[in-house]
Amino acid sequence: MQRISWDEYFMNMAELASRRSTCIRRQVGAVIVKDNQVLATGYNGAPKGLPNCCDLNECLREALHVPSGQRHELCRAVHAENNAITQCAVNGVSCKGGTLYVTDSPCVMCLKQIINAGIVKIVAKKIYPDDMSREMLEQSGIEFILYNNVKI
């Protein structure tokens, strides 16, 4: 019997979380792990109690033709990484020293929170087009690995 790797296990969880997304434009899932234990999961969607984009059947960024990686403040959704970090905070669990598995690499807004939360490693399946995020990631010292194990 051949077992799947930890990376595959946690990335599969992130992909499963992305299927809960309520975003019309991009479905993202995230899992925060420490010592091979899941601390929190997240997916992108509107804040608790507010209508989701899929319920409203509208996306302001789409309507305004905003390219990916720009004008994050126009997004109604809380991003997957942000939701996972918030879940840790609400439950009183430190994610300091943890690893973030995410289906798309973080935007600059999420990366700032990741840095401040003390996450030390990010494993992403795809690259999100955000030049500022990439620059800050390189400056942060956080280890970044594409799921196919290519370091950036």
Side-chain angles (χ1 to χ4, degrees):
M1 179 174 92
Q2 177 135 2
R3 294 170 62 188
I4 63 173
S5 69
W6 286 113
D7 282 348
E8 186 175 0
Y9 180 64
F10 295 127
M11 188 57 73
N12 284 343
M13 287 183 172
E15 288 175 353
L16 184 60
S18 77
R19 294 175 56 194
R20 289 281 308 153
S21 170
T22 60
C23 180
I24 294 169
R25 191 170 187 173
R26 181 184 305 268
Q27 292 71 49
V28 179
V31 178
I32 300 174
V33 175
K34 188 171 181 182
D35 299 325
N36 291 331
Q37 297 292 312
V38 174
L39 302 179
T41 64
Y43 55 87
N44 52 334
K48 286 182 179 183
L50 298 182
N52 290 295
C53 296
C54 64
D55 299 328
L56 298 171
N57 200 28
E58 65 183 18
C59 171
L60 180 58
R61 290 171 47 105
E62 281 291 314
L64 296 174
H65 306 289
V66 176
S68 288
Q70 298 178 18
R71 303 291 315 268
H72 298 102
E73 75 279 5
L74 296 176
C75 183
R76 180 175 191 82
V78 178
H79 290 184
E81 306 92 322
N82 187 323
N83 273 325
I85 291 169
T86 300
Q87 189 178 82
C88 282
V90 166
N91 292 316
V93 175
S94 174
C95 53
K96 184 177 182 180
T99 297
L100 172 72
Y101 288 84
V102 64
T103 55
D104 283 75
S105 61
C107 73
V108 69
M109 304 295 284
C110 289
L111 182 63
K112 290 183 228 180
Q113 281 199 316
I114 291 164
I115 292 166
N116 283 350
I119 291 171
V120 297
K121 181 177 176 182
I122 299 170
V123 180
K125 189 155 188 177
K126 296 180 285 196
I127 298 292
Y128 181 70
D130 186 332
D131 293 337
M132 183 178 242
S133 175
R134 191 171 183 133
E135 178 184 333
M136 288 180 76
L137 181 61
E138 289 172 4
Q139 295 168 345
S140 74
I142 293 174
E143 182 180 3
F144 181 84
I145 299 177
L146 281 176
Y147 179 59
N148 62 7
N149 292 321
V150 175
K151 288 190 179 187
I152 295 207

